[in-house]
């Protein structure tokens, strides 16, 4: 690959290859591709193989690049055991819904955007994941998954959970069994904003569901639903409110269901149920509604006996209702004995005059959550300050639990009052003991940037900053070659810190894909998670952005690049002529090298290179690549220079320096610099660093598989140029022109091919010195920065993701043929696409924090261990494997663990009857197979965990031992 072929003459950039397109090789190759497609996918499913005229892509490529038309970006069937397929989504983002802690405090139920997940509160391990409204790649085109708006535990059966979705579908889920639920019914308006469960006497072991519905933003209606025999539903309107404006719709009830309280924008309503109701039609609530001092963002109520002076009256006292609300401007308002006061000052439905309220204020922005303590002497609040605040009601004294990892979204107080459950906006949840304020359980999902399914509470009051509706740039992610089970992804200090202002990703999260748990999180750049990160004008102070991460080929080193530059709004007072130069001079760029030690969760910073690429000012690092065969990294900067970085032993006065652990200290430095700046396509004599004319240059770099060659794409205007560099000598041995056009996204090497993704996709054969094929990328409404490319060296294929509106299309290609092996569409945008070194397949991360695995089912080295068990299709056992433990197994008691002696005797008699009647040649089958321990050791302990074979392979090996008859005893 490092041969000394002469520079290739300029050729038409749309030329496919040297041989003619009408040669017989084309026909035979097309037939081979069609045979491969018939094995990989369902033949009855339409595939993007033919154009409108019925011609193949090969024929279209005769004169120009084939057009990858929007109507060709379609879904195909996931059926078939062989071929490439996409797994069901895993993970997701925790929603702004109160977690559910079971009465015995043994299980924690968390609500995600498309599922509910049950965790063990003692060890923080996931028990099961129950999809609710998940859409996979087999969903109809253009489908948008409905998000969950409410999750409530059943009042009559603690094993059931009611789930309401935004499209009005209501699900009844048995969380102890994990069966995939089907909708119980759909609301009349086909909308749902909030959900509450109310037990009633006339329902006889059934319950009433109160659903807040809203077809228009200025109207809210609360409907009571009851399921009757046959699965039919009955409904009754409880409340209807109209008010112009914007805000949240919240609904809460007391434990006995006799008192309801809720919020519609800045209106607070509360009422009591009629005690004489004998059916749903007779169910009525006496409702009082009045305006609160602020937009309501959170609410809670507490019932207690009303205090009276005499003991006699105290014993027979009525029940008082205390209501507490959190406001969008940081205020907390407490209404003591609210029901008595509203009855005294107004009639039902509307209270014109305000009632007495007590105000507390500490939060700078919206109060995301507020809850009463069990005794009513305290209340707990949380917001965007990353601080849990415990208030004493009588004295207003505050206690703080600061420095949390994200903004507090939800707070739940356990029934015993011994624990608090916190949901943070960095996609994590924890259980705190109220006595010591220390976490007893911690659960964290993938904390990458994700879109909001609802408007953030802090934006209910219009501010000078806004939250981005989409993730507009790829999220750096990588997989360590020596440990392919862990995904490393750049994250931030919470969703609000991620999406306010510029995209902030200063942290690196290590996530175990096998157990699907977060391992660690470490800062790669400067962070300020708990400081007041707002300027005097209310704008957020941007943190550095990690633009690139990459592991070395041996997995011992990690290189990262982080950048920071002043925001344009901070230099408004500088003249227009000097503004750009001022920002360039204050541009901060750091290249850092981290040592990754086996068994250590944190990384150790070894070297930091300030401004690794610079001219008169620091220049951006456009791309970073690692040598798969050695500890070497290559970077390309906007200065038009490719630099190679290698480690070397640190010496002082000729003596090796030791680190804190007694080992030879290592430092990183630039060993080679290759200039490629003359290929920008700009007229000769133009100064790239001229302050009066800033030119946006583009660059990407990649090593060949053997590490001997470096391919660098660099340029400013079309057409793009790719330089072939000999790593050993640092010389440019070949220049390839016309391989990219427009916006350069990625360049990758796969065998003898290099794949370049820009305004089109081009595959070039370096050995044959010819363009293999090219495909035009459609100019659809999407973020072009999210066009991504990844190669799989194990299977010899590559994958491309293209955003189309709010979804993404995934395509898997063979570098020798333009016909895609797989085309799927995901209901969310793909923001990261990586391949697993040493394993076949790709891992995609979308903007809902969900993981998708693209793998080849027939490949024994595919990353099957990273797929959900129900996707492995182990000979029809997928349903049984994914179902998880049954209800009895999860909630087993001591009585269930030991069978009675009578039951054992009955079972023994049955076994004896079976054995006595079976005297054929299959006698040996009546006895269980005895497998020697060493056989199992050879399967499970033959290799380390990170190099272990897939679950599917181990499954068949174990079943093979079980299927083999034991040797007859001598």
């Amino acid at each position: 690959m490092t041969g000394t072929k002469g520079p290739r003459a300029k050729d038409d950039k749309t030329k496919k290859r040297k041989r003619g397109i009408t040669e017989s090789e084309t026909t035979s190759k097309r037939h081979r591709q069609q045979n491969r497609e018939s094995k990989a996918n369902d033949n009855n499913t339409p595939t993007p193989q033919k154009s409108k005229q019925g011609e193949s892509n090969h024929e279209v490529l005769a004169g120009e690049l084939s057009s990858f038309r929007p109507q060709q970006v379609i879904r195909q069937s996931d059926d078939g055991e062989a071929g490439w397929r996409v797994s069901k989504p895993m993970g997701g983002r925790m929603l702004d819904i109160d977690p559910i802690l079971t009465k015995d405090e043994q299980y924690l139920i968390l609500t995600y955007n498309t599922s509910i997940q049950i965790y063990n509160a003692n060890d923080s391990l996931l028990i099961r994941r129950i999809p609710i409204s998940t859409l996979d790649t087999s969903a109809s085109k253009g489908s948008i998954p409905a998000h969950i708006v409410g999750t409530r535990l059943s009042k009559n059966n603690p094993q059931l959970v009611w789930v309401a979705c935004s499209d009005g579908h209501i699900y009844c889920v048995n969380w102890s069994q994990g069966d995939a639920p089907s909708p119980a019914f759909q609301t009349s308006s086909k909308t749902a904003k909030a959900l509450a469960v109310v037990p009633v006497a006339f329902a006889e072991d059934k319950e009433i569901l109160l659903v807040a519905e809203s077809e228009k933003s200025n109207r809210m209606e609360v409907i009571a639903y009851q399921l009757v025999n046959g699965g039919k539903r009955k409904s009754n309107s409880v409340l209807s409110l109209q008010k112009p404006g914007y805000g949240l719709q919240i609904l809460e009830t007391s434990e006995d269901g006799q008192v309801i309280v809720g919020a519609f924008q800045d209106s607070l309503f509360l009422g009591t149920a009629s005690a004489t109701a004998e059916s749903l039609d007779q169910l009525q609530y006496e409702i009082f509604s009045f305006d609160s001092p602020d937009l309501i963002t959170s609410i809670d109520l507490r019932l207690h006996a009303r205090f009276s002076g005499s003991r006699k009256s105290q014993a027979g006292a009525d029940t008082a209702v205390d209501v507490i609300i959190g406001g969008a401007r940081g205020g907390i308002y407490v209404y003591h004995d609210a029901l008595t006061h509203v009855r005294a000052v107004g009639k039902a439905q509307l209270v014109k005059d305000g009632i007495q309220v007590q105000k507390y204020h500490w939060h700078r922005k919206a109060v995301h959550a507020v809850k009463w303590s069990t005794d009513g002497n305290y209340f707990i609040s949380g917001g965007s300050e990353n601080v849990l605040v415990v208030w004493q009601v009588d004295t207003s004294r505050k206690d703080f639990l600061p420095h949390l990892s994200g903004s507090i979204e939800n707070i739940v107080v356990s029934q015993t009052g011994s624990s608090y459950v916190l949901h943070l906006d960095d996609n994590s949840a924890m259980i705190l003991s109220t006595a010591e304020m220390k976490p007893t359980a911690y659960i964290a999902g993938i904390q990458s940037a994700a879109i909001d399914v609802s408007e953030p509470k802090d934006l209910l009051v219009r501010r000078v900053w806004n939250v981005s509706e989409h993730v507009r740039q790829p999220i750096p992610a990588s997989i360590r070659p020596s440990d392919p089970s862990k995904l490393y992804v750049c994250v931030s200090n919470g969703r609000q810190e991620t999406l306010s202002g510029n995209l902030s990703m200063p942290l690196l999260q290590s996530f175990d894909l096998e157990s699907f748990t977060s391992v660690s999180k470490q800062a790669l750049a400067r962070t300020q998670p708990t400081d007041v990160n707002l300027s005097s004008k209310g704008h957020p102070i941007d943190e550095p952005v990690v633009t690139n991460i990459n592991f070395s080929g041996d997995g011992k080193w990690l290189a990262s690049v982080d950048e920071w530059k002043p925001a344009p709004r901070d230099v408004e007072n500088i003249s227009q002529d000097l503004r750009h130069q001022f920002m360039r001079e204050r541009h901060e760029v750091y290249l850092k090298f981290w040592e990754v030690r086996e068994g250590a969760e944190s990384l150790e910073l070894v070297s930091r290179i300030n401004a690794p690429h610079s001219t008169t000012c620091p220049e951006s690092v456009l791309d970073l690549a690692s040598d798969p065969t050695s500890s070497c990294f290559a970077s390309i900067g906007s200065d038009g220079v490719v630099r190679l970085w290698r480690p070397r032993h640190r010496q002082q006065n000729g003596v090796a320096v030791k680190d804190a652990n007694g080992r030879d200290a290592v430092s990183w430095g630039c060993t080679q610099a290759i200039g490629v700046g003359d290929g920008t396509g700009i007229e000769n004599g133009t100064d790239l660093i001229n302050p009066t004319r800033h030119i946006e240059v583009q660059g990407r770099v990649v090593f060949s598989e053997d590490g001997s060659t470096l391919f660098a794409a660099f340029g400013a205007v079309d057409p793009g140029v790719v330089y072939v560099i000999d790593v050993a000598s640092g010389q440019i041995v070949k220049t390839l022109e016309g391989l990219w056009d427009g916006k350069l996204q990625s360049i990758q090497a796969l065998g003898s091919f290099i794949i370049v993704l820009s305004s089109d996709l081009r595959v070039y054969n370096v050995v044959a010195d010819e363009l293999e094929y090219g495909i035009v990328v459609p100019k659809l409404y999407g973020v072009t920065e999210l066009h991504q490319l990844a190669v799989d060296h194990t299977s010899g294929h590559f994958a491309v993701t293209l955003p189309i509106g709010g979804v993404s299309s995934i395509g898997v290609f063979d570098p020798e043929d333009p016909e895609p092996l797989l085309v799927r569409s995901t209901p969310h945008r793909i923001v990261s696409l990586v391949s697993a070194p040493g394993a076949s397949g790709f891992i995609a991360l979308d903007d809902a924090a969900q993981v998708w695995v693209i793998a080849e089912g027939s490949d024994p080295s595919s990353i099957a261990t990273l797929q959900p068990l129900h996707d492995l299709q182990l000979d029809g056992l997928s349903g049984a494997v994914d179902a998880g433990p049954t209800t009895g197994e999860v909630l087993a008691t001591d009585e269930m663990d030991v069978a009675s002696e009578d039951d054992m005797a009955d079972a023994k008699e049955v076994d004896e009857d079976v054995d006595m009647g079976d005297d054929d040649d299959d006698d040996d089958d009546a006895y269980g197979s005895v497998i020697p321990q060493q056989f199992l050791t050879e399967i499970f302990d033959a290799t380390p965990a990170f190099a272990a074979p897939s679950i599917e392979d181990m499954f068949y090996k174990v079943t093979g031992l079980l299927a083999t008859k034991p040797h007859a005893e001598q």
Side-chain angles (χ1 to χ4, degrees):
M1 191 172 294
T2 58
T4 56
K5 288 187 177 181
R8 185 183 175 197
K10 292 185 178 180
D11 199 356
D12 184 4
K13 64 179 180 180
T14 60
K15 182 179 178 182
K16 179 184 182 295
R17 58 187 69 187
K18 289 184 177 180
R19 58 174 176 266
I21 195 67
T22 58
E23 295 181 9
S24 58
E25 172 63 17
T26 304
T27 304
S28 61
K29 189 170 186 179
R30 184 164 63 247
H31 288 315
R32 291 197 303 269
Q33 177 64 23
Q34 292 174 351
N35 293 336
R36 186 190 303 121
E37 292 266 347
S38 64
K39 294 180 181 179
N41 301 292
D42 189 359
N43 292 332
N44 297 327
T45 305
T47 59
Q49 297 177 8
K50 304 290 182 180
S51 64
K52 292 183 178 180
Q53 294 79 12
E55 299 175 343
S56 68
N57 278 343
H58 292 275
E59 296 165 349
V60 176
L61 280 171
E64 60 181 2
L65 298 176
S66 66
S67 177
F68 201 93
R69 287 180 290 276
Q71 61 267 24
Q72 291 179 330
V73 186
I74 61 175
R75 296 169 175 83
Q76 298 180 11
S77 173
D78 278 323
D79 300 334
E81 297 181 358
W84 288 84
R85 61 175 183 263
V86 182
S87 72
K88 296 184 183 300
M90 297 172 286
R93 195 84 189 188
M94 299 179 191
L95 295 183
D96 185 9
I97 297 175
D98 286 349
I100 298 175
L101 186 63
T102 57
K103 187 175 182 180
D104 57 4
E105 301 186 15
Q106 296 297 312
Y107 303 97
L108 181 64
I109 303 175
L110 298 177
T111 305
Y112 288 73
N113 45 6
T114 56
S115 66
I116 60 173
Q117 300 187 19
I118 295 89
Y119 293 85
N120 191 318
N122 296 321
D123 53 19
S124 307
L125 295 180
L126 176 66
I127 296 178
R128 62 177 53 86
R129 178 181 186 269
I130 304 176
I132 301 297
S133 59
T134 300
L135 289 183
D136 55 21
T137 56
S138 62
S140 60
K141 186 176 181 180
S143 299
I144 299 176
H147 63 275
I148 301 173
V149 297
T151 305
R152 299 287 183 177
L153 197 64
S154 172
K155 301 293 185 180
N156 297 325
N157 188 347
Q159 297 180 6
L160 298 181
V161 171
W162 291 97
V163 180
C165 293
S166 57
D167 58 359
H169 281 109
I170 309 297
Y171 296 81
C172 184
V173 182
N174 189 330
W175 62 267
S176 63
Q177 293 184 358
D179 298 331
S182 57
F185 64 91
Q186 190 174 19
T187 60
S188 302
S189 64
K190 296 183 179 180
T191 63
K193 299 297 183 180
L195 173 69
V197 180
V198 176
V200 287
F202 60 79
E204 296 181 359
D205 295 334
K206 294 184 180 179
E207 48 206 355
I208 300 299
L209 302 182
L210 298 180
V211 182
E213 305 177 26
S214 178
E215 295 181 278
K216 299 180 180 179
S217 60
N218 61 350
R219 179 180 175 85
M220 172 185 178
E221 191 171 6
V222 178
I223 308 294
Y225 292 94
Q226 178 186 3
L227 288 179
V228 296
N229 296 333
K232 298 181 180 180
R233 63 171 174 85
K234 296 173 60 178
S235 62
N236 181 23
S237 179
V238 174
L239 170 67
S240 180
L241 293 175
Q242 287 187 354
K243 189 169 187 178
Y246 59 93
L248 302 180
Q249 301 179 22
I250 309 172
L251 185 62
E252 296 288 343
T253 65
S254 60
E255 189 68 23
D256 57 3
Q258 295 302 305
V259 180
I260 66 171
V261 62
F264 179 47
Q265 301 177 12
D266 62 346
S267 295
L268 179 66
F269 63 86
L270 68 156
T272 57
S274 58
T276 60
E278 297 181 355
S279 65
L280 181 65
D281 297 334
Q282 298 179 4
L283 179 64
Q284 294 182 353
Y285 282 87
E286 184 185 14
I287 302 294
F288 299 88
S289 175
F290 58 93
D291 291 340
S292 66
D294 197 359
L295 287 173
I296 301 174
T297 56
S298 55
I299 194 170
D300 192 27
L301 78 159
R302 170 179 172 265
L303 273 64
H304 62 93
R306 185 180 292 108
F307 177 77
S308 180
S310 64
R311 295 184 178 179
K312 183 177 180 181
S313 60
Q314 182 179 359
D318 295 334
T319 301
V321 179
D322 294 344
V323 178
I324 185 170
I325 63 174
R329 294 173 176 84
I332 299 176
Y333 305 90
V334 178
Y335 298 89
H336 293 285
D337 200 1
L339 200 56
T340 301
H341 285 88
V342 295
R343 282 173 174 166
V345 300
K347 297 181 180 180
Q349 292 294 331
L350 180 63
V351 178
K352 294 184 179 180
D353 299 327
I355 64 175
Q356 184 179 2
V357 61
Q358 186 176 0
K359 181 181 179 181
Y360 303 83
H361 201 149
W362 179 84
H363 297 278
R364 296 191 298 268
K365 290 184 281 189
V367 181
H368 296 175
V370 60
K371 285 291 189 296
W372 285 108
S373 64
T374 53
D375 57 6
N377 296 325
Y378 300 87
F379 62 86
I380 308 96
S381 66
S384 57
E385 298 84 7
N386 298 15
V387 178
L388 180 69
V389 187
V390 181
W391 304 73
Q392 191 173 14
V393 177
D394 296 335
T395 63
S396 299
R397 177 182 175 182
K398 300 179 289 293
D399 290 326
F400 303 97
L401 179 64
H403 306 297
L404 298 176
S405 59
S407 300
I408 298 175
E409 293 293 329
N410 303 96
I411 301 173
V412 173
V413 181
S414 65
Q415 294 189 11
T416 61
S418 61
S419 301
Y420 296 148
V421 182
L422 305 184
H423 163 222
L424 308 179
D425 78 332
D426 65 345
N427 207 24
S428 67
M430 66 174 67
I431 301 178
L432 294 174
S433 64
T434 57
E436 300 178 347
M437 280 295 176
K438 293 183 178 180
T440 59
Y442 179 75
I443 299 162
I446 294 181
Q447 300 172 340
S448 59
I451 58 174
D452 287 295
V453 297
S454 60
E455 188 175 22
K457 294 177 180 178
D458 287 339
L459 288 184
L460 292 177
V461 175
R462 301 307 177 189
R463 304 183 184 275
V464 297
W465 53 271
N466 290 316
V467 173
S468 176
E469 296 181 356
H470 301 285
V471 181
R472 298 186 176 275
Q473 66 186 73
I475 296 178
S478 184
I479 294 181
R480 186 182 174 193
S482 57
D483 192 0
S485 65
K486 289 185 177 59
L487 174 67
Y488 292 82
V489 58
C490 290
V491 300
S492 70
N493 294 294
R495 185 188 309 179
Q496 295 186 15
E497 303 299 332
T498 302
L499 295 180
S500 60
N502 293 329
L503 184 63
S504 170
M505 299 176 292
L507 307 177
L508 181 68
Q509 182 189 18
S510 172
F511 194 83
D512 193 331
L513 293 170
E514 291 184 345
S515 62
F516 225 78
T517 56
S518 177
V519 178
S520 63
K521 190 167 64 173
Q522 178 176 350
L524 296 182
R526 181 179 66 253
T527 62
Q528 43 194 15
T530 58
D531 294 337
V532 181
N533 54 353
L534 292 177
S535 65
S536 59
K537 296 183 179 180
H539 293 284
I541 300 175
D542 296 329
E543 295 176 336
V545 177
V546 178
T547 59
N548 297 94
I549 60 171
N550 222 319
F551 284 95
S552 60
D554 54 8
K556 296 181 179 179
W557 302 96
L558 173 70
S560 66
V561 177
D562 60 271
E563 298 186 9
W564 179 87
K565 62 177 61 177
R569 60 176 177 268
D570 296 334
V571 293
E572 294 177 352
N573 297 328
I574 302 177
S575 64
Q576 185 68 29
D577 297 338
L578 301 177
R579 185 175 302 172
H580 179 71
Q581 180 66 15
F582 179 84
M583 293 181 63
R584 292 187 66 238
E585 290 176 351
R586 282 154 181 80
H587 187 193
E588 298 179 6
V589 185
Y590 300 107
L591 173 62
K592 300 176 182 178
F593 297 95
W594 309 79
E595 184 178 5
V596 186
R597 297 181 182 178
E598 296 294 339
E601 295 183 357
S602 60
L603 310 177
E604 181 181 349
L605 180 62
V606 174
S607 296
R608 188 187 78 175
I609 312 298
N610 300 340
H613 293 264
S614 63
T615 51
T616 57
C617 301
E619 300 291 338
S620 297
V621 177
L622 303 177
D623 197 15
L624 181 70
S626 64
D627 185 350
T629 61
S630 65
S631 297
C632 177
F633 293 93
S635 64
I636 185 171
S638 55
D639 58 346
V641 177
V642 176
R643 296 182 181 273
L644 298 181
W645 308 86
R646 293 185 175 90
R648 55 193 174 194
H649 293 291
R650 188 181 306 171
Q651 293 185 352
Q652 184 176 4
N653 298 328
V655 179
V657 179
K658 302 293 183 180
D659 59 13
N661 298 321
R663 299 178 302 176
D664 291 340
V666 176
S667 63
W668 285 75
C670 178
T671 58
Q672 288 176 300
I674 304 102
V676 294
D678 57 347
T680 59
I682 306 174
E683 297 179 359
N684 293 333
T686 301
D687 187 5
L688 290 179
I689 317 302
N690 186 352
T692 62
R693 181 192 175 193
H694 179 68
I695 301 174
E696 293 290 341
V697 293
Q698 306 177 76
R700 294 291 185 270
V701 64
V702 67
F703 281 92
S704 62
E705 288 191 48
D706 59 2
S708 63
T709 307
L710 186 66
F711 301 97
F714 186 81
V717 294
D718 303 332
V721 181
V722 176
Y723 299 90
V724 183
I725 302 172
D726 181 35
V727 174
S729 62
Q731 300 295 321
I732 300 177
V733 297
K734 185 186 296 186
T735 301
L736 306 175
E737 298 183 358
L739 281 189
W740 59 275
D741 196 3
K743 179 68 176 178
L744 177 62
Q745 304 296 340
S746 178
I747 179 173
Q748 297 291 338
L750 182 61
S752 60
F753 302 94
I754 56 173
I755 303 103
V756 184
L757 177 62
S758 57
S759 298
D760 45 43
L761 176 68
R762 307 189 187 187
V763 180
Y764 185 82
N765 192 323
V766 181
V767 175
D769 194 17
E770 61 183 7
L771 181 67
E772 193 72 14
Y773 61 83
I775 300 175
V776 173
V777 176
K779 296 182 179 179
L780 302 174
Y781 52 99
V783 182
T784 58
E785 287 77 7
L786 293 181
H787 292 182
Q788 300 189 66
L789 169 68
V791 297
D792 179 10
H793 297 290
T794 303
S795 65
H797 299 87
F798 66 91
V800 178
T801 62
L802 307 176
I804 306 173
V807 303
S808 280
S809 180
I810 301 175
V812 178
F813 291 85
D814 188 322
E816 297 182 354
D817 203 294
E819 299 290 350
L821 302 177
L822 173 83
V823 176
R824 298 284 186 272
S825 290
T826 60
H828 301 278
R829 288 183 175 181
I830 301 298
V831 295
S832 294
L833 181 67
V834 296
S835 59
S840 174
F842 305 91
I843 297 175
L845 177 66
D846 64 16
D847 59 4
Q850 297 180 132
V851 172
W852 305 75
V853 177
I854 306 105
E856 190 173 11
S858 60
D859 191 347
S861 63
S862 63
I863 46 180
T865 55
L866 307 183
Q867 301 184 36
L869 294 180
H870 57 75
D871 281 348
L872 294 181
Q873 300 180 2
L874 300 180
D875 294 343
L877 298 177
S878 58
V881 173
D882 188 57
T886 62
T887 305
E889 292 174 347
V890 175
L891 305 176
T893 59
D894 295 338
E895 289 80 2
M896 299 173 62
D897 294 336
V898 181
S900 65
E901 295 182 0
D902 294 337
D903 294 338
M904 297 291 291
D906 294 340
K908 183 176 182 181
E909 290 178 1
V910 173
D911 291 341
E912 291 176 352
D913 292 340
V914 174
D915 295 342
M916 292 295 292
D918 189 5
D919 294 331
D920 297 331
D921 295 337
D922 296 334
D923 244 331
D924 292 338
D925 294 339
Y927 300 93
S929 299
V930 179
I931 303 176
Q933 179 66 29
Q934 62 268 22
F935 291 170
L936 295 176
T937 303
E938 292 176 358
I939 296 176
F940 293 101
D941 299 336
T943 58
F946 62 84
S950 65
I951 294 178
E952 188 175 5
D953 292 340
M954 291 191 290
F955 173 82
Y956 285 117
K957 290 180 180 179
V958 174
T959 53
L961 294 177
L962 294 174
T964 304
K965 290 185 178 181
H967 296 289
E969 296 183 2
Q970 300 296 332

